[in-house]
Amino acid sequence: MTFLTQQARTADLVALSRYHDEGIEDWCAYIEPGEAILQIGRPVLIVPPGIEALAVRRIVVAWKDTRESRRTLTDAISFLKEADEVLLVEVADEDDGSVRDVAQYLGRHGISCTPLRRSLSATSIAAQLLGIARVEGVDLVIAGAYGHSRMREMIFGSVTRSLLEQTPVCCLMSH
């Protein structure tokens, strides 16, 4: 991880595989994506097995009004500008107006997006985001990473961990 952190100081983006394969004798195959996101200070593109190219035609931005989401949104501007369609998704019980504010912010960057709000339900936030991604046929999910303490996330789980483990498409995350 030390070598990757050093190399990341001059990188705009770090791409990592979601899984490591047993038996591969490559040090890159053993980097834990969650730890990399926390340590390297750069956006990380998590690539699931079987993905060989990223088209970036349709993107889901998982929005929550947090420092991590704001940082990731800024890190993702170049991807968002290339997309044909951007869905800005917030899963929350209360509408604080932040989705509309972010849609306007993206508009000032020349990015048209469709804001979507979903209510919290028995289905996890990650499951709702992945469901939207599947139904909409997205190429990329953009989400802030690790907005809660590591202890809380270890006990209760997290959207970040669920996305890292389950997303079938590439996922861009920042902390």
Side-chain angles (χ1 to χ4, degrees):
M1 183 66 75
T2 302
F3 179 74
L4 178 62
T5 302
Q6 291 170 345
Q7 297 305 303
R9 68 180 158 225
T10 58
D12 293 324
L13 177 71
V14 174
L16 294 174
S17 175
R18 182 171 71 190
Y19 298 116
H20 65 77
D21 291 327
E22 295 299 325
I24 292 180
E25 298 301 325
D26 180 3
W27 67 271
C28 292
Y30 295 100
I31 294 172
E32 177 61 39
E35 288 301 316
I37 291 167
L38 287 171
Q39 291 185 30
I40 64 174
R42 294 287 189 247
V44 176
L45 181 68
I46 306 300
V47 182
I51 302 290
E52 295 182 14
L54 178 58
V56 192
R57 291 182 312 273
R58 302 185 83 184
I59 297 176
V60 163
V61 176
W63 177 253
K64 182 177 182 181
D65 195 13
T66 63
R67 180 188 72 81
E68 294 79 15
S69 289
R70 291 188 293 272
R71 174 78 263 150
T72 306
L73 189 69
T74 302
D75 289 341
I77 290 291
S78 60
F79 286 102
L80 296 169
K81 285 182 175 182
E82 295 298 318
D84 295 332
E85 184 176 8
V86 176
L87 301 172
L88 180 62
V89 180
E90 179 182 48
V91 181
D93 279 335
E94 295 186 27
D95 184 359
D96 64 1
S98 66
V99 168
R100 289 183 297 282
D101 293 342
V102 171
Q104 290 174 352
Y105 164 78
L106 291 174
R108 290 192 301 271
H109 283 277
I111 300 164
S112 176
C113 70
T114 303
L116 298 174
R117 288 198 73 257
R118 297 292 186 258
S119 296
L120 291 171
S121 66
T123 307
S124 75
I125 293 171
Q128 288 190 57
L129 292 170
L130 292 173
I132 292 167
R134 183 179 23 77
V135 168
E136 298 295 332
V138 304
D139 306 300
L140 178 64
V141 173
I142 295 170
Y146 297 118
H148 299 289
S149 73
R150 298 288 284 184
M151 180 61 80
R152 182 185 185 283
E153 293 192 6
M154 286 171 47
I155 295 169
F156 297 109
S158 74
V159 174
T160 303
R161 186 179 331 147
S162 296
L163 289 175
L164 286 173
E165 293 173 356
Q166 299 170 17
T167 186
V169 297
C170 291
C171 192
L172 180 72
M173 296 180 149
S174 296
H175 175 72

